[in-house]
Amino acid sequence: MSRAVDLNRREFFRSAAAAGVLGMMPEMGHALAAHGVKYEIAQSAVVADAAPRHSIRFAVCGMSHDHIYGMVSAIQRGGGVLAAAYGTEPDKVAAFRKRFPDVKMAESEEAILNDPSIQLIMSSKIASERAELGIKTMKHGKDFLSDKPGITTMEQLAAVRKTIAETKKIYGILYSERLEVRAAVKAGELIRSGAIGKVIQTINIAPHQVTQHAGDAGGNGGRPDWFWNPDQYGGILCDIGSHQVDQFLYYTGSTSAEIAEAQVANVAHPQHPRFQDFGDMVLRGNKGFGYVRLDWFTPDGLDTWGDGRLFVLGTEGYIEVRKYTNVAVNKQGDNLFIVDAKQSRYIDCSQVALPFGPQFVADIVNRTHIAQDQEQCLLAAELAITAQNSAKHVTIER
């Protein structure tokens, strides 16, 4: 889409809103207008389908979690070319080859690490093994992008930081619940524009589904053995919680924080006694407060893997994001609600561009940190690990 076309499209929506023309908007627009709620379709400052400015060659090393597909898509949007892939689980390799039939399958990790034409390696291998691969990648002169959690122990974190300092390479973690969700991107834009004043607190509710029926969230067809072992997946606060800690830091603007309280439990999975199916934590940052609730109890009646929700309280308003669905209203995700001193608005964010992929590729080419502040990325990992290590294990009667 050219910039001229994009501007015309934006002008159409402005004109339609001014004229009260909701007939061409989703059904929800009619219902909201009837109750005096302003309905908007957000248009991003970045043209969603703009041609990539850069090009790099990247490879996949490990595909244990299906998040790898979203990771590949993000980098391809930024101009990345998938040059090679390697995995050890036959079912995951077969699925990957089906999705990318033209990809060159390498014989080993070393073949990818030693390929001088590859600039970036990404991985969603077993969580506890990602940091070791990332360190090897950086020592081989390449940048690294991990699925979350990119780091599961303090020892790994220290080694990653040391290697970054030595090699000057990028160790990225794709916290997709913020970076690859359009409504979360728009929330960041609004907050940085001062739309709700100073942020006081974030609340993240992050329910997940153990056995999913479709999609790339990781559980389609059942879960592997490592999924149930906290030594491998990192524990619920480290694994899922790293997403939410990242959001807390980003939306509050906190550059330092502590875990005020954390707890975990196995409520309903006695056949996997070390698995944690519930957890929560309270965070206290230098610029705001945070609360996070995590669980594995999404029922089959929901139309997606989890009703992820974000609440941001400011001094002059608040924002709610319903990321993946709008329960009992419609199945559309990327819903944003904002209330300030003047009005209540619903913002459909389905047209907002996702900047992470292009920005991360630009970081690799230009040696910058536009897509993801390196220290915030690692601080989110550190706080999630700290929460996990300090969490009280609670038993609830079944």
Side-chain angles (χ1 to χ4, degrees):
M1 182 187 299
S2 69
R3 180 158 179 79
V5 171
D6 186 53
L7 289 172
N8 289 339
R9 190 160 167 263
R10 292 185 205 174
E11 186 59 36
F12 166 77
F13 283 114
R14 290 194 192 100
S15 300
V21 182
L22 286 168
M24 298 187 70
M25 295 181 180
E27 183 178 347
M28 187 174 178
H30 296 283
L32 291 168
H35 292 279
V37 178
K38 186 176 180 182
Y39 179 94
E40 297 179 11
I41 297 180
Q43 298 298 299
S44 177
V46 179
V47 180
D49 53 359
R53 297 176 57 193
H54 304 286
S55 181
I56 62 167
R57 286 169 57 82
F58 72 95
V60 168
C61 236
M63 51 198 70
S64 303
H65 198 296
D66 289 350
H67 281 167
I68 195 64
Y69 298 116
M71 296 169 68
V72 169
S73 294
I75 300 305
Q76 287 179 328
R77 286 198 306 271
V81 177
L82 179 58
Y86 173 76
T88 57
E89 299 109 325
D91 59 331
K92 296 296 185 181
V93 171
F96 193 87
R97 294 187 72 168
K98 184 176 181 180
R99 183 77 69 96
F100 303 105
D102 298 329
V103 69
K104 174 186 174 183
M105 298 304 297
E107 295 182 356
S108 65
E109 273 187 6
E110 288 68 26
I112 290 176
L113 288 166
N114 293 320
D115 184 340
S117 74
I118 292 172
Q119 296 158 271
L120 168 71
I121 293 177
M122 65 171 61
S123 181
S124 71
K125 68 188 307 185
I126 294 172
S128 60
E129 300 173 5
R130 293 169 190 168
E132 181 181 1
L133 174 60
I135 290 167
K136 287 181 181 178
T137 296
M138 291 187 289
K139 288 182 175 180
H140 278 77
K142 308 178 193 304
D143 296 306
F144 184 69
L145 180 62
S146 174
D147 183 18
K148 64 80 212 167
I151 303 165
T152 59
T153 70
M154 287 299 189
E155 293 76 16
Q156 290 178 355
L157 178 64
V160 166
R161 282 186 163 140
K162 180 174 183 290
T163 308
I164 291 171
E166 291 172 348
T167 65
K168 310 304 180 186
K169 293 299 177 182
I170 297 169
Y171 191 106
I173 302 172
L174 185 46
Y175 297 116
S176 57
E177 290 191 24
R178 173 173 68 86
L179 296 166
E180 288 290 291
V181 173
R182 299 176 196 279
V185 171
K186 184 63 180 178
E189 293 176 1
L190 290 167
I191 288 165
R192 274 155 175 68
S193 73
I196 59 171
K198 173 179 169 51
V199 172
I200 301 169
Q201 184 201 40
T202 61
I203 297 176
N204 285 91
I205 299 175
H208 283 59
Q209 192 173 50
V210 172
T211 302
Q212 296 152 351
H213 304 293
D216 294 334
N220 188 19
R223 298 284 183 172
D225 290 343
W226 66 267
F227 171 81
W228 308 103
N229 182 353
D231 296 333
Q232 292 181 289
Y233 76 84
I236 193 169
L237 300 182
C238 177
D239 177 24
I240 306 176
S242 60
H243 274 304
Q244 281 65 49
V245 175
D246 165 75
Q247 290 168 73
F248 156 75
L249 292 172
Y250 181 76
Y251 293 123
T252 65
S254 292
T255 55
S256 63
E258 62 180 340
I259 305 299
E261 185 178 357
Q263 60 185 351
V264 296
N266 182 326
V267 177
H269 292 82
Q271 71 276 30
H272 300 288
R274 298 190 65 211
F275 184 63
Q276 297 155 11
D277 55 22
F278 176 88
D280 65 359
M281 60 176 129
V282 177
L283 301 112
R284 186 182 299 122
N286 61 325
K287 292 188 177 180
F289 306 97
Y291 172 75
V292 173
R293 193 204 81 197
L294 315 158
D295 71 76
W296 286 100
F297 291 108
T298 294
D300 287 345
L302 192 68
D303 55 342
T304 186
W305 54 266
D307 182 15
R309 300 172 72 180
L310 164 70
F311 301 85
V312 186
L313 173 66
T315 55
E316 299 174 21
Y318 63 88
I319 288 172
E320 177 186 352
V321 174
R322 300 202 75 154
K323 297 180 181 180
Y324 310 113
T325 188
N326 201 4
V327 173
V329 177
N330 57 45
K331 296 181 180 181
Q332 177 178 312
D334 289 308
N335 306 285
L336 189 152
F337 303 84
I338 180 170
V339 181
D340 58 26
K342 296 180 179 179
Q343 62 187 344
S344 301
R345 287 185 285 160
Y346 167 82
I347 302 179
D348 175 347
C349 299
S350 60
Q351 303 301 313
V352 173
L354 296 172
F356 175 79
Q359 290 176 349
F360 196 80
V361 172
D363 287 343
I364 292 170
V365 173
N366 299 322
R367 311 315 302 165
T368 53
H369 291 286
I370 300 168
Q372 186 173 69
D373 178 86
Q374 184 74 91
E375 187 48 43
Q376 180 186 300
C377 170
L378 299 179
L379 179 58
E382 179 178 355
L383 287 166
I385 296 166
T386 299
Q388 189 66 57
N389 291 346
S390 64
K392 181 179 180 180
H393 288 251
V394 179
T395 300
I396 296 178
E397 292 183 8
R398 294 188 175 92

